[in-house]
Amino acid sequence: MVCGKKRNFAPMQFKLDASPQGTAARAGRISTDHGEILTPIFMPVGTCGAVKAVHARELRDDIKAQIILGNTYHLYLRPGTEILRKAGGLHKFEGWERPILTDSGGFQVFSLSDQRKLTDEGAHFRSHIDGSKHLFTPENVVDIQRIIGSDIMMALDECPPGTSERSYARKSLDLTLRWLRRGWDHYKSTEPLYGHYQSFFPIVQGCTFPDLRRESAKFVADLGADGNAIGGLAVGEPAEVMYEMIEVVNEILPADKPRYLMGVGTPANILEAIDRGVDMMDCVMPTRNGRNGMLFTRNGVMNMRNRKWADDFSPLDPESDCFVDQVYSKAYVRHLFAADEILAMQIASIHNLAFYLWLVGEARNHILAGDFPAWKRTMLEKVTTRL
């Protein structure tokens, strides 16, 4: 068991700034010991303690990230809890002074379907690095996240495929709820290690079955945690089904707590989720797609490997104030991708993350202004256009 010195820690706070009529979209603010987060917010993914191809300075100053993610599964395997404890936690280890959220590793275990076994005890799995055997339990993933020192910790859950049959979804949800009760009890019996408060978010599961989602959401809401997450979406089900499940869940999750939609998604997905009352989102898409030459802009999506950009010397996104959009032309970035230069991946990653943070920032501005639905309709047409 990981226990810090018993202290009175001020819990995370969530305040709603606006929730206008005509939409479920909300603008709020989350207060943590590492700073304030204005919502709705997109969180860049730093799986192994780094957002791929992006420096902390760029995340802070150019992308304007307010919170980033780490992953318990990957950090547990490498560099390991001993190194992280000696470093004083992930904030100090990676040089990031703003909030951090850690995923418990449930999705990573889900992706290792041929190398894991799920039991009431927990998730038995083999490392993707060296094949060594490990066990995640609801309790030890809390302990690991205490050592990581994230501001927001996630419960251990199973993430079933979006195409699961009802019988499997039922069995999976029962296991997740049993794990959740144990994880929640262990969280309450342990303390932070590094002098800052850590929240624990339970995760709603239930696949694509509304009654299972409602049951899970009710169980999660009744815990009274600082915030709540919606998991098991964008894993193979149609987008419209995903939106339906968000609506079902958000009818039950408390309005005075932040709602985190895990692993979603495209700019259109993000706008639709915000419109349905989601406050927090994350996804590897901006960096992963960026490294493969796809740039998201205010006017549509560009494939930078296309020949059409070879002699286009205009900025990547003329309206952006991010430095890469002002310094580099489409022609130059297209050349870098054609030449397999690492700089291409860096520029694309910074650009895409800056765009995602701009998008949720603009969504917040229009929620506060009361014209979010009209702005969303205009933006949906733009962000789904292929240039």
Side-chain angles (χ1 to χ4, degrees):
M1 176 183 294
V2 174
C3 287
K5 184 179 179 181
K6 289 290 182 180
R7 293 179 51 187
N8 291 322
F9 291 93
M12 186 190 83
Q13 299 291 326
F14 179 61
K15 176 186 176 183
L16 276 177
D17 294 325
S19 52
Q21 294 183 345
T23 174
R26 313 110 62 79
R29 58 189 66 223
I30 300 169
S31 298
T32 77
D33 286 340
H34 282 102
E36 188 174 65
I37 305 160
L38 301 180
T39 65
I41 191 65
F42 179 82
M43 303 178 285
V45 177
T47 300
C48 299
V51 177
K52 283 184 170 58
V54 181
H55 290 288
R57 175 187 57 78
E58 293 160 339
L59 280 169
R60 182 184 63 246
D61 299 338
D62 304 314
I63 295 166
K64 299 178 175 61
Q66 300 174 47
I67 176 173
I68 61 174
L69 268 70
N71 183 265
T72 297
Y73 167 86
H74 290 280
L75 292 168
Y76 161 78
L77 292 177
R78 232 176 5 199
T81 53
E82 181 179 355
I83 295 295
L84 288 166
R85 188 193 283 269
K86 287 181 178 179
L90 185 59
H91 288 89
K92 291 184 178 179
F93 188 59
E94 68 177 349
W96 179 253
E97 297 177 351
R98 295 179 181 178
I100 295 175
L101 180 150
T102 43
D103 184 359
S104 67
F107 181 80
Q108 283 65 40
V109 172
F110 154 74
S111 68
L112 298 171
S113 57
D114 58 341
Q115 301 179 61
R116 50 88 164 165
K117 179 182 178 182
L118 305 180
T119 67
D120 265 338
E121 182 182 15
H124 302 258
F125 63 93
R126 288 186 177 272
S127 164
H128 71 287
I129 300 170
D130 59 11
S132 56
K133 294 181 179 180
H134 303 271
L135 169 65
F136 273 177
T137 69
E139 294 83 7
N140 72 15
V141 296
V142 170
D143 293 340
I144 295 166
Q145 289 176 95
R146 289 292 196 197
I147 293 171
I148 294 171
S150 51
D151 299 271
I152 300 174
M153 309 188 296
M154 304 306 301
L156 180 66
D157 65 333
E158 186 197 0
C159 179
T163 55
S164 296
E165 296 290 336
R166 182 182 176 84
S167 58
Y168 184 86
R170 173 75 266 174
K171 180 180 178 182
S172 172
L173 178 58
D174 289 342
L175 180 63
T176 287
L177 296 183
R178 291 195 297 272
W179 282 356
L180 175 55
R181 172 54 67 185
R182 287 167 49 195
W184 176 247
D185 290 344
H186 191 68
Y187 163 73
K188 292 190 295 181
S189 72
T190 60
E191 294 287 329
L193 298 176
Y194 309 118
H196 64 267
Y197 181 79
Q198 293 179 278
S199 294
F200 178 95
F201 281 22
I203 303 172
V204 176
Q205 289 289 354
C207 203
T208 58
F209 301 97
D211 61 322
L212 298 185
R213 285 282 175 180
R214 291 189 183 97
E215 176 185 341
S216 182
K218 177 66 164 56
F219 188 98
V220 162
D222 287 347
L223 291 179
D226 293 331
N228 302 296
I230 307 169
L233 295 176
V235 286
E237 80 285 354
E240 290 306 317
V241 174
M242 174 175 68
Y243 301 148
E244 178 191 355
M245 293 302 102
I246 294 171
E247 292 175 6
V248 165
V249 167
N250 280 350
E251 289 177 356
I252 297 171
L253 293 182
D256 62 345
K257 303 290 180 66
R259 300 162 177 159
Y260 165 33
L261 178 62
M262 306 178 73
V264 179
T266 67
N269 292 156
I270 286 173
L271 292 174
E272 295 290 3
I274 291 172
D275 197 17
R276 290 163 171 80
V278 168
D279 306 296
M280 308 164 68
M281 293 139 287
D282 78 286
C283 189
V284 298
M285 182 171 287
T287 47
R288 177 177 291 171
N289 288 28
R291 295 195 303 274
N292 289 300
M294 178 182 287
L295 296 191
F296 301 96
T297 78
R298 289 158 170 76
N299 295 307
V301 183
M302 300 187 297
N303 182 347
M304 299 314 296
R305 298 185 184 276
N306 284 352
R307 176 66 181 81
K308 68 183 294 184
W309 309 118
D311 58 356
D312 186 332
F313 302 105
S314 64
L316 292 176
D317 196 339
E319 299 176 31
S320 171
D321 62 0
C322 181
F323 81 98
V324 296
D325 296 315
Q326 301 304 315
V327 172
Y328 302 114
S329 70
K330 298 180 180 73
Y332 180 63
V333 174
R334 193 263 178 188
H335 155 70
L336 293 178
F337 274 108
D340 289 328
E341 285 286 349
I342 294 174
L343 181 58
M345 295 186 285
Q346 293 177 294
I347 292 171
S349 297
I350 294 168
H351 163 87
N352 279 351
L353 286 173
F355 169 76
Y356 268 59
L357 268 294
W358 171 85
L359 184 68
V360 294
E362 282 297 290
R364 175 182 169 83
N365 290 339
H366 286 279
I367 293 168
L368 292 171
D371 63 352
F372 174 78
W375 174 81
K376 175 203 159 191
R377 287 192 294 271
T378 300
M379 283 307 302
L380 275 177
E381 184 176 350
K382 291 182 177 180
V383 300
T384 55
T385 298
R386 292 279 177 164
L387 299 176

